[in-house]
Amino acid sequence: MPKTFKNFINGKWKSASTGETFDNINPADSGQVLGRFQKSGKKDVDEAVAAAANARKSWRSMPAPRRGDILFRAAEMLVKDKESLAREMTREMGKIIKETRGDVQEAIDMAYYTAGEGRRLLGETVPAELPNKFCMSVRMPVGLVAAITPWNFPIAIPSWKLIPALVAGNTVVFKPASDTPVSAYNFVRLLEKAGLPPGVLNFVTGSGTEVGVPLMDHPEVDLVSFTGSTDTGSQVAQHCARQMKRFSLEMGGKNAIIVMDDANLDSALEGVIWGAFGTTGQRCTACSRVIVHRKVLKKFTDALLKRAQSLKVGDGLDSKIEMGPLINESQRQKVLKYCKIGVDEGARLLTGGDVCKTRATRKGFFFQPTLFADVSPGMRIAQEEIFGPVLAIIACNSLEHAVEIVNDSRYGLSSAIYTQDVNHAFKAIETLDTGITYVNSSTIGAEIQLPFGGTKGTGNGHREAGTAALEIFTEWKSVYVDYSGKLQKAQIDN
Ligand code: UN1
């Protein structure tokens, strides 16, 4: 019998009011049920929100360095449990063990870095325009945060939301993706053990419609922090706008790498393969387009083909495996559909394009590493987010042309250029319309001390991680202290 996991509300682990559960399965072996999770409903959401609302006052009045101490403890516990957390994550999410270790490491980095905000949370002191007067700005918590997270970074992305929200003095109701609830549970359990008081962090599992919607619609929720698809993100925006709530959205990408004729092609090859097929292409930052200068197109395409065909696909717990399965069957069908669209549009399928059919991969949601050549920038496979191991190769004639192709997208998350020419590198940094640009590196691999997020359809102007995260999770308060002992009128007495 698989273990049954519960919700965490007001410091207690409890079953959902519905009495129902859902199964969490291993995408590398879909017959394997890893656990049963609560199929919660509105009543559970109401209870979790009430607990978070109740804890608001005491949590925001705890000195921020003390809140940071709890998060430092969580960082230490993550270090200690890194290997077991990574293994459980590979089992439920599918990405290879090296990558799930990286996922946990990202949460460790986030916890250490952001716990330190407990002793910073910097504001400004500025001169006053009148004598005997003092001015400063301080950061205040927003209030009650709903964190809604995806399955592709089952601990890292929750850490981007929960840790800055908590250190800033907010209380949280956390709804994880239903494909990866074990990792979310492990993270919450660890934060509980690190010493969060009851009600400060609540955890409710279940579907988007039964948990996500009532959560973001709840009038006590002040802020919704969401990472996921652009379609769902736009729903979140509409729900939040009705109640004038604050919301931050981190959504799709159609990230591209430019390979110039002066690039180090060996290094570019590694970067493109890693960007396109790492996490089985299921990163918002995945490289799904490579824009190659015509002068090196044939050589680079041949090298890509050789490397893509040699990738070892299988169970991510086996350390020799380079690419795991897709998350579930419906994602696999979506990727398959896009491969058919690519062929119909006239792109040339070089390799892949179908589900894996070997003995070792029969039981899971595996897909072949796929390359399309002769892709033109307007094709659907070059415009729409596929979220799978499918790479479109597009030819360009110059840097200007390449940048035009990269920017011809509704998304603007990550971009990269491989070049040995410093002028090309800086021109690309200046003109690529994305939130992140890499020079001589892949589109993936963002570090937590910098802002993470994108332009255009990727987001709504906010950034996660770094100190930028505090812009979402805090409100500014401007403070004026007049110690003149009399009424002084700004703009009038000076
Ligand atoms: C995501 O793609 O959903 O930069 C997050 C990266 C990771 C985070 C990616 N550090 O690829």
Side-chain angles (χ1 to χ4, degrees):
M1 266 299 268
K3 180 174 165 187
T4 299
F5 294 82
K6 296 187 171 171
N7 288 335
F8 185 59
I9 299 177
N10 208 20
K12 298 208 171 57
W13 294 93
K14 40 187 311 186
S15 303
S17 58
T18 59
E20 289 174 59
T21 59
F22 63 92
D23 288 350
N24 175 28
I25 58 167
N26 180 348
D29 178 359
S30 58
Q32 204 184 331
V33 178
L34 304 172
R36 303 235 141 93
F37 280 82
Q38 301 303 313
K39 198 168 172 217
S40 315
K42 186 174 180 308
K43 206 158 165 264
D44 308 295
V45 169
D46 288 347
E47 210 185 313
V49 171
N54 204 32
R56 224 170 354 195
K57 202 164 154 206
S58 58
W59 183 242
R60 68 186 284 151
S61 58
M62 180 186 284
R66 297 281 83 76
R67 296 196 296 256
D69 288 345
I70 296 174
L71 299 169
F72 272 122
R73 254 192 320 272
E76 274 155 21
M77 293 164 70
L78 283 165
V79 171
K80 201 168 132 278
D81 293 351
K82 180 172 169 181
E83 189 58 24
S84 64
L85 291 168
R87 296 192 84 76
E88 285 200 69
M89 192 188 293
T90 291
R91 221 170 280 134
E92 73 166 346
M93 190 271 161
K95 63 186 174 183
I96 61 174
I97 184 75
K98 254 193 224 155
E99 291 187 34
T100 51
R101 287 184 192 127
D103 191 303
V104 180
Q105 186 58 45
E106 195 155 343
I108 294 169
D109 298 342
M110 179 55 86
Y112 276 126
Y113 176 83
T114 305
E117 283 303 326
R119 288 188 184 268
R120 283 187 299 268
L121 286 175
L122 299 180
E124 289 183 321
T125 57
V126 289
E129 65 179 48
L130 292 161
N132 300 315
K133 192 176 170 191
F134 184 88
C135 301
M136 62 186 161
S137 59
V138 292
R139 290 189 181 276
M140 309 296 279
V142 175
L144 202 163
V145 173
I148 304 179
T149 59
W151 43 262
N152 62 341
F153 278 81
I155 292 187
I157 291 183
S159 83
W160 297 1
K161 301 186 187 306
L162 270 45
I163 292 172
L166 291 169
V167 81
N170 303 285
T171 58
V172 179
V173 177
F174 170 32
K175 181 213 139 7
S178 297
D179 283 305
T180 52
V182 171
S183 295
Y185 163 88
N186 286 340
F187 188 43
V188 169
R189 184 112 177 78
L190 189 143
L191 284 161
E192 177 202 13
K193 285 198 192 144
L196 285 180
V200 169
L201 171 62
N202 305 276
F203 168 73
V204 185
T205 55
S207 72
T209 26
E210 280 150 27
V211 176
V213 172
L215 178 58
M216 64 193 176
D217 280 347
H218 199 297
E220 289 269 18
V221 169
D222 301 298
L223 188 174
V224 178
S225 175
F226 168 83
T227 300
S229 73
T230 302
D231 288 345
T232 313
S234 120
Q235 300 284 324
V236 173
Q238 291 171 44
H239 279 260
C240 289
R242 273 182 222 134
Q243 292 178 43
M244 302 288 270
K245 279 182 191 175
R246 194 185 261 235
F247 56 97
S248 79
L249 306 174
E250 189 55 59
M251 301 171 291
K254 192 69 193 174
N255 314 291
I257 296 180
I258 299 172
V259 179
M260 292 300 291
D261 52 340
D262 55 35
N264 172 339
L265 291 186
D266 293 337
S267 153
L269 176 65
E270 291 313 309
V272 172
I273 292 287
W274 171 227
F277 303 119
T279 327
T280 321
Q282 302 169 109
R283 293 194 187 213
C284 338
T285 53
C287 167
S288 50
R289 299 181 291 162
V290 59
I291 325 280
V292 188
H293 197 287
R294 275 191 202 284
K295 282 193 192 150
V296 291
L297 181 62
K298 167 104 183 52
K299 188 173 173 204
F300 195 71
T301 303
D302 290 348
L304 270 177
L305 178 58
K306 205 163 152 223
R307 198 67 179 73
Q309 284 179 328
S310 74
L311 282 174
K312 291 187 202 68
V313 180
D315 188 331
L317 285 174
D318 175 344
S319 60
K320 291 187 289 301
I321 292 299
E322 293 167 286
M323 192 179 98
L326 290 166
I327 188 72
N328 56 38
E329 186 55 28
S330 84
Q331 280 298 120
R332 187 156 78 152
Q333 288 307 319
K334 179 177 165 203
V335 176
L336 190 59
K337 183 190 88 186
Y338 270 107
C339 290
K340 296 207 171 100
I341 291 173
V343 171
D344 290 347
E345 283 179 310
R348 186 158 53 92
L349 181 64
L350 294 180
T351 186
D354 203 353
V355 304
C356 291
K357 291 174 181 149
T358 60
R359 206 168 219 284
T361 53
R362 231 180 9 212
K363 290 201 214 143
F365 309 122
F366 293 94
F367 203 89
Q368 299 166 353
T370 300
L371 288 179
F372 277 104
D374 301 340
V375 178
S376 52
M379 286 180 181
R380 286 183 65 191
I381 56 163
Q383 289 289 337
E384 297 173 23
E385 187 177 48
I386 300 174
F387 230 59
V390 181
L391 177 66
I393 306 170
I394 304 173
C396 72
N397 307 317
S398 63
L399 176 62
E400 214 181 15
H401 184 209
V403 170
E404 204 178 290
I405 296 169
V406 176
N407 289 348
D408 173 20
S409 169
R410 68 187 285 222
Y411 300 111
L413 182 53
S414 181
S415 59
I417 180 166
Y418 278 86
T419 178
Q420 298 292 313
D421 182 330
V422 69
N423 298 341
H424 282 156
F426 274 87
K427 199 67 201 168
I429 294 169
E430 180 199 319
T431 51
L432 288 169
D433 185 5
T434 53
I436 306 170
T437 293
Y438 293 89
V439 176
N440 293 328
S441 188
S442 191
T443 49
I444 66 184
E447 301 182 23
I448 62 86
Q449 66 277 26
L450 274 87
F452 181 95
T455 61
K456 299 188 273 185
T458 292
N460 65 331
H462 289 292
R463 293 290 184 270
E464 300 198 273
T467 47
L470 297 176
E471 301 305 331
I472 314 166
F473 293 112
T474 61
E475 289 278 7
W476 280 118
K477 172 173 283 203
S478 299
V479 182
Y480 301 90
V481 181
D482 190 311
Y483 54 99
S484 68
K486 58 178 192 232
L487 175 63
Q488 300 198 90
K489 304 192 198 80
Q491 292 95 36
I492 293 168
D493 289 350
N494 49 357

